[in-house]
Amino acid sequence: MVRKAVIPCAGLGTRFLPATLAVPKELLPIDRKPAIQHIVADLVECGVDTVVLVISRGKEALLHYFLDDHRLAGKRLPPELTQSIEELALLRERVNVVAVYQEKPLGLGHAVLCAAPVVGDEPFLLALPDDHFRPSPTRQLVEAWEKYGKGAVALLEVPNEDVPRFGIVSVEREETPFLLLNDAVEKPTLEAAPSRLAIMGRYLFPPKVFEYLRNTPPGINSEIQLTDSMKTLAQKEGLVGVPVSGEYLDIGTWDSYVRTLMRLGLEDPAFREFLTRHLH
Ligand code: G1P
């Protein structure tokens, strides 16, 4: 059973300044709900009962979002709002959300390590809140864990020009629908990249990854890179790749965020006509 999950949310949200001076980026809505809610709901659907948010000073609103809230008690709301409030209340009941601090921005690997005291000696899911997928690959990560007892990571083949933006893996062999991996490199040049299979922001790790992270020196951009510890994991214990079958909805930049909002808005029957009328 994989019961715990970690969501790194300590970043300043520089690309979304000045809004992120007041609102954590992860609370910006997509599809009418804060992005973080989509991620937590997906994790809970896959069996998670405890979510560890790795935050930094000023991002406490993320934790508060998952606490009980009586401000709306007795208020009359339109049915669609009542429904979303009930959905959130149900989610809050099903999951225990806690926060730990990453006090210095030392990299994604360091952020994950900050969650170690809460995760303890258990496997855990890791979700990066900028990356959204339809359908979600999380369940397949759990299936990979159940089948192999090894860490797993979601992968997507990306065009050449995007290779240097991602962690890239090397495949040892295929065991459909999974890939067995033997290497991972963070943000390689196209020439140095072992493939075009990019690490997407969904992972499942055995607790041993914390030990590898503690021994990982700063890598590219002088940050402690999660991908560098995955290289050790792949080589010492094996790592399973889960190709993402559906659609990748990126919300990491303003452009990709707006594109995702538009795409989801155009699919919403209540919103499609309004949007098409006003988009020129
Ligand atoms: C992070 C990871 C990278 C991964 C990417 C997915 O990079 O370090 O390996 O491919 O997320 O979105 P970042 O986007 O934080 O630069």
Side-chain angles (χ1 to χ4, degrees):
M1 262 314 251
V2 182
R3 298 185 310 112
K4 290 184 177 162
V6 175
I7 311 180
C9 303
L12 275 179
T14 322
R15 293 178 184 136
F16 288 80
L17 285 169
T20 41
L21 289 175
V23 186
K25 180 182 71 172
E26 299 80 2
L27 283 176
L28 297 178
I30 52 169
D31 205 8
R32 296 173 188 245
K33 286 173 242 167
I36 190 96
Q37 185 177 341
H38 288 277
I39 303 229
V40 171
D42 173 46
L43 292 167
V44 169
E45 281 310 309
C46 294
V48 164
D49 61 23
T50 302
V51 170
V52 188
L53 305 176
V54 182
I55 62 170
S56 54
R57 188 187 290 272
K59 299 194 80 173
E60 292 76 10
L62 280 164
L63 180 63
H64 298 167
Y65 189 70
F66 292 98
L67 298 179
D68 267 355
D69 190 340
H70 299 289
R71 286 174 296 177
L72 295 174
K75 281 240 177 350
R76 287 175 70 84
L77 294 170
E80 66 280 10
L81 291 187
T82 306
Q83 202 191 337
S84 9
I85 296 299
E86 281 171 2
E87 186 184 323
L88 175 59
L90 203 64
L91 182 62
R92 285 167 170 161
E93 269 174 35
R94 291 176 70 191
V95 64
N96 180 26
V97 179
V98 298
V100 297
Y101 282 88
Q102 183 189 25
E103 291 179 31
K104 289 185 190 147
L106 298 179
L108 178 60
H110 176 259
V112 174
L113 202 44
C114 292
V118 186
V119 172
D121 197 23
E122 289 187 42
F124 63 100
L125 281 154
L126 174 71
L128 307 189
D130 281 351
D131 295 345
H132 293 256
F133 306 91
R134 290 187 308 179
S136 158
T138 313
R139 190 166 294 281
Q140 273 186 288
L141 295 176
V142 176
E143 282 164 15
W145 171 257
E146 283 165 356
K147 177 166 179 192
Y148 296 98
K150 290 179 179 168
V153 58
L155 300 172
L156 184 70
E157 191 162 322
V158 295
N160 284 351
E161 62 271 25
D162 288 344
V163 162
R165 280 179 44 201
F166 292 101
I168 302 289
V169 298
S170 159
V171 177
E172 186 173 291
R173 63 175 198 280
E174 283 185 35
E175 280 188 16
T176 314
F178 301 116
L179 303 170
L180 301 185
L181 311 177
N182 56 12
D183 202 2
V185 195
E186 182 64 10
K187 298 187 175 54
T189 59
L190 184 56
E191 296 69 41
S195 75
R196 287 197 293 122
L197 282 174
I199 295 174
M200 295 286 110
R202 294 293 181 281
Y203 313 74
L204 195 160
F205 288 120
K208 191 94 180 184
V209 78
F210 292 128
E211 188 186 314
Y212 299 141
L213 275 170
R214 279 186 202 102
N215 294 312
T216 299
I220 196 159
N221 300 332
S222 308
E223 292 179 345
I224 298 175
Q225 296 292 349
L226 179 65
T227 305
D228 293 345
S229 70
M230 291 166 67
K231 183 192 189 83
T232 317
L233 188 66
Q235 290 168 356
K236 293 209 169 155
E237 298 179 27
L239 181 65
V240 182
V242 173
V244 171
S245 52
E247 192 182 4
Y248 170 38
L249 299 168
D250 173 20
I251 57 164
T253 63
W254 178 243
D255 292 11
S256 63
Y257 174 66
V258 173
R259 188 178 58 220
T260 296
L261 283 185
M262 292 294 172
R263 192 179 293 183
L264 298 176
L266 286 167
E267 282 174 13
D268 181 345
F271 210 50
R272 188 183 308 128
E273 203 213 307
F274 169 86
L275 256 186
T276 31
R277 212 173 341 122
H278 292 279
L279 284 177
H280 297 292

